Amino acid sequence: MARRLIPILKQLNNRATVWAPGRRADSRSVTYMPRPGDGTPRAVTLIPGDGIGPLVTNAVEQVMEAMHAPVYFERYEVHGDMKRVPQEVLDSIRKNKVCLKGGLRTPVGGGVSSLNVQLRKELDLYASLVNCFNLPGLPTRHENVDIVVIRENTEGEYSGLEHEVVPGVVESLKVITKFCSERIAKYAFEYAYLNNRKKVTAVHKANIMKLADGLFLESCREVATKYPSIKYNEIIVDNCCMQLVSKPEQFDVMVTPNLYGNLVANTAAGIAGGTGVMPGGNVGADHAVFEQGASAGNVGHEKIVEQEKANPVAVLLSSAMMLRHLQFPSFADRLETAVKRVILEGKHRTKDLGGGSTTQEVVDAVIANLD
């Protein structure tokens, strides 16, 4: 442990600026005082997952080691074809409070429950956050995109309450509660307030689902009155999709019920540069799971896995969010800066970003650009 901390202490010592008479006070680099013990390495549960998951999570492990980041991983093998998330995995996340996860393949049809949804419900990860923004050097159709999609994660169409009434007729229930709607609205406004965001937009279909989405809107409006400094507006989900692809820069923070949020986040990610570069996480009162922000492509194709050309940027940026969540902001800044430098230089990009690099080549470039 002491040997691992030596490079960190040397770097901090080289960067520290001692104040002296006549020197400007604003030139000091120290911006906050950590509490004693804040630098203690933290355990993080690691689920590599399926498809490209092991490739991109291994990229995070390499970069964390290169940075000497104060985290270490407890690895568990979980795959989408399992019936349930193993109990030891849930126990590990409950103990560590934080998890980094690759994509888990969800079988289509067949009555197999999604392990992603199981995790969210078991740990009450009620808020999904996806940050969709333009990366300098990565050409896109639209500029000045910086959207945060905050999605209710535990109810709505994802409640999983389905049954066959009679042969050929299936009933699926959409559950909306005032408690969960208020909770996600409070999270969205609190996020906007703490991150100097100016506007929160509620996405809904209350013109048709007047009771369910009407309750969601009513809850958002009540919470909005407690944050007078933040502008609040509402938009119907179909108009929202049209506005996203035509003028995405008008949106700031978006708060949505479960299904709409999945669609909106993936659309916004595609507009801002692709799902391979958008970070995200699922958070609750006690636990947080970080993974690629947009679900589309988080498992990848077999050919990408065979060629080892998966894009690790989204999971690297998600791990930077994780570091900030763990109160290691300087490590998060170093990682984000290195990733953005690699994107800006344009020499090492995977196929989805117009390049031909392998995952390992991108990782090596990120490590080379660490301060």
Side-chain angles (χ1 to χ4, degrees):
M1 180 65 66
R3 188 180 304 168
R4 190 178 177 187
L5 291 174
I6 289 173
I8 303 173
L9 294 173
K10 285 182 177 178
Q11 190 172 20
L12 291 173
N13 186 53
N14 291 336
R15 289 185 176 184
T17 305
V18 180
W19 183 84
R23 178 175 289 175
R24 288 178 55 189
D26 60 3
S27 67
R28 299 194 313 185
S29 61
V30 177
T31 57
Y32 73 101
M33 291 180 65
R35 295 168 298 183
D38 271 356
T40 303
R42 292 284 301 274
V44 174
T45 304
L46 177 65
I47 302 175
D50 298 315
I52 65 172
L55 270 176
V56 295
T57 53
N58 178 255
V60 173
E61 290 182 278
Q62 291 184 58
V63 173
M64 292 293 175
E65 184 176 353
M67 287 198 301
H68 302 285
V71 298
Y72 62 94
F73 294 103
E74 296 179 358
R75 177 191 292 264
Y76 291 90
E77 292 299 325
V78 180
H79 301 286
D81 57 0
M82 293 179 173
K83 291 185 178 180
R84 292 199 60 80
V85 179
Q87 187 59 46
E88 61 266 25
V89 177
L90 295 173
D91 292 342
S92 174
I93 299 174
R94 289 191 175 104
K95 172 176 68 76
N96 298 332
K97 309 295 185 185
V98 177
C99 173
L100 180 70
K101 185 175 80 68
L104 292 174
R105 184 178 282 109
T106 301
V108 178
V112 179
S113 176
S114 165
L115 296 193
N116 296 303
V117 175
Q118 281 186 32
L119 265 178
R120 296 166 195 163
K121 289 185 175 180
E122 286 282 350
L123 301 171
D124 196 24
L125 305 173
Y126 67 87
S128 166
L129 188 149
V130 182
N131 191 1
C132 304
F133 56 94
N134 292 127
L135 283 164
L138 188 63
T140 58
R141 291 178 181 270
H142 300 276
E143 297 180 354
N144 303 317
V145 177
D146 187 6
I147 303 170
V148 175
V149 182
I150 295 176
R151 159 192 172 197
E152 206 292 317
N153 231 0
T154 60
E155 57 178 19
E157 292 85 353
Y158 283 62
S159 299
L161 301 175
E162 297 182 311
H163 64 277
E164 190 174 43
V165 183
V166 294
V169 180
V170 173
E171 187 175 58
S172 179
L173 300 180
K174 171 178 177 173
V175 177
I176 297 288
T177 64
K178 188 172 182 63
F179 172 79
C180 289
S181 298
E182 283 186 347
R183 185 169 66 165
I184 196 65
K186 287 176 183 176
Y187 184 89
F189 276 93
E190 195 71 9
Y191 177 91
Y193 173 72
L194 293 174
N195 289 277
N196 196 30
R197 296 278 182 160
K198 307 301 181 187
K199 181 170 66 173
V200 172
T201 301
V203 182
H204 66 94
K205 191 65 177 173
N207 57 325
I208 302 299
M209 285 170 264
K210 298 182 184 297
L211 291 179
D213 285 21
L215 178 59
F216 176 78
L217 275 189
E218 177 187 316
S219 302
C220 290
R221 290 167 184 167
E222 289 178 8
V223 174
T225 60
K226 301 174 183 177
Y227 295 85
S229 62
I230 298 172
K231 184 180 177 182
Y232 169 71
N233 65 351
E234 301 165 356
I235 188 168
I236 297 173
V237 63
D238 39 357
N239 182 34
C240 172
C241 293
M242 188 274 290
Q243 294 289 337
L244 267 175
V245 298
S246 59
K247 196 178 177 184
E249 60 275 6
Q250 67 182 290
F251 296 107
D252 192 354
V253 175
M254 306 175 78
V255 59
T256 77
N258 208 333
L259 177 62
Y260 308 155
N262 193 16
L263 305 177
V264 168
N266 280 276
T267 302
I271 290 165
T275 58
V277 295
M278 299 303 152
N282 302 282
V283 296
D286 300 312
H287 312 95
V289 175
F290 295 89
E291 59 187 326
Q292 177 177 312
S295 59
N298 65 351
V299 175
H301 301 291
E302 289 184 9
K303 189 174 181 181
I304 297 176
V305 178
E306 292 170 0
Q307 296 176 345
E308 298 187 349
K309 290 189 174 182
N311 189 349
V313 169
V315 177
L316 286 171
L317 292 176
S318 296
S319 67
M321 290 175 61
M322 179 189 76
L323 288 170
R324 198 163 279 114
H325 177 80
L326 291 170
Q327 298 185 1
F328 300 132
S330 61
F331 289 94
D333 291 342
R334 288 174 62 202
L335 176 51
E336 287 180 349
T337 300
V339 170
K340 290 177 181 178
R341 282 176 182 167
V342 171
I343 296 293
L344 183 60
E345 288 172 0
K347 296 178 183 178
H348 300 91
R349 293 182 182 177
T350 48
K351 186 177 180 180
D352 59 314
L353 301 184
S357 300
T358 64
T359 304
Q360 190 58 51
E361 288 170 345
V362 176
V363 173
D364 292 341
V366 170
I367 291 173
N369 278 276
L370 289 170
D371 285 333

